[in-house]
């Protein structure tokens, strides 16, 4: 329970600080744009476009429903509902934050990218799915599984920056929001079903 409180506090504070700085600090936004320009080299690599496609937020919902369906098929209703609730709550929170902050995307973003920039929907979904998969499968697999999830997650993060779809703070905000929502839903699940 102490780990949950630490996760909630840190992720919540990071998210709040980012939102306040994006909304009210021109200096922060200038720094974020400079960092974005230094990190981004090219957007022509097809590999990063494939990674972005696989992690399209609507497609992540399909992956989530498939995982929940497998759990429900094995009569594991509570975990199946937890999987659906975790991504559902996180996506709803992401939608609300995007429309509260209303941050425009970087100027050189691809034309396919639309909507607001903060937080990154791709990173939000990828982070949440990695947390879900790790929570579900960590006992069945060794440390290599965690490394594979981490590499997959890093590819998604790099793709969002490389394709110029997001500023670095958009990615960090997505991670913070994902960890916050994941921890909230996990804590509620534990309180209801793991007594």
């Amino acid at each position: 329970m102490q780990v949950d409180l630490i996760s909630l506090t840190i992720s919540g504070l990071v998210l709040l600080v980012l939102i306040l700085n994006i909304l009210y600090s021109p200096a922060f936004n200038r720094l974020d744009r400079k960092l974005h320009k230094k990190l981004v080299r090219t957007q022509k690599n097809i590999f990063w476009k494939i990674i972005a496609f696989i992690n399209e937020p609507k497609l992540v919902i399909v992956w989530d429903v498939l995982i929940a369906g497998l759990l429900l098929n094995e009569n594991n209703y509570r975990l199946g509902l937890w999987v659906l609730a975790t991504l559902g709550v996180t996506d709803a929170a992401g939608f609300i934050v995007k429309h509260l902050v209303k941050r425009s995307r970087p100027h050189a973003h691809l034309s396919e990218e639309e909507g607001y920039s903060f937080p990154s929907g791709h990173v939000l979904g990828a982070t949440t799915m990695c947390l879900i998969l790790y929570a579900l499968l960590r006992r069945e697999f060794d440390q290599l599984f965690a490394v594979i999830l981490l590499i997959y997650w890093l590819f998604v993060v790099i793709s969002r920056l490389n394709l110029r779809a997001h500023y670095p703070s958009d990615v960090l905000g997505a991670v913070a929001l994902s960890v916050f929502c994941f921890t909230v839903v996990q804590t509620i699940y534990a309180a209801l079903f793991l007594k």
Side-chain angles (χ1 to χ4, degrees), residues 116-153:
Y116 297 121
S117 183
F118 181 89
S120 165
H122 285 73
V123 175
L124 186 69
T127 304
T128 304
M129 290 307 295
C130 284
L131 290 170
I132 288 170
L133 288 170
Y134 183 74
L136 289 174
L137 302 172
R138 71 176 177 252
R139 289 184 185 94
E140 295 177 34
F141 295 97
D142 59 10
Q143 302 256 335
L144 180 62
F145 179 65
V147 172
I148 291 168
L149 286 177
L150 180 62
I151 291 169
Y152 156 76
W153 176 82

Side-chain angles (χ1 to χ4, degrees), residues 72-123:
L72 294 172
N73 192 46
E74 294 175 359
N75 296 324
N76 203 334
Y77 300 111
R78 291 177 180 171
L79 270 182
L81 292 175
W82 171 78
V83 167
L84 293 172
T86 301
L87 187 66
V89 166
T90 305
D91 280 350
F95 179 84
I96 290 167
V97 171
K98 269 186 186 283
H99 287 83
L100 287 174
V101 176
K102 295 183 179 180
R103 187 183 207 186
S104 298
R105 289 190 184 270
H107 292 297
H109 70 87
L110 296 175
S111 58
E112 306 90 81
E113 304 288 351
E114 52 188 40
Y116 297 121
S117 183
F118 181 89
S120 165
H122 285 73
V123 175

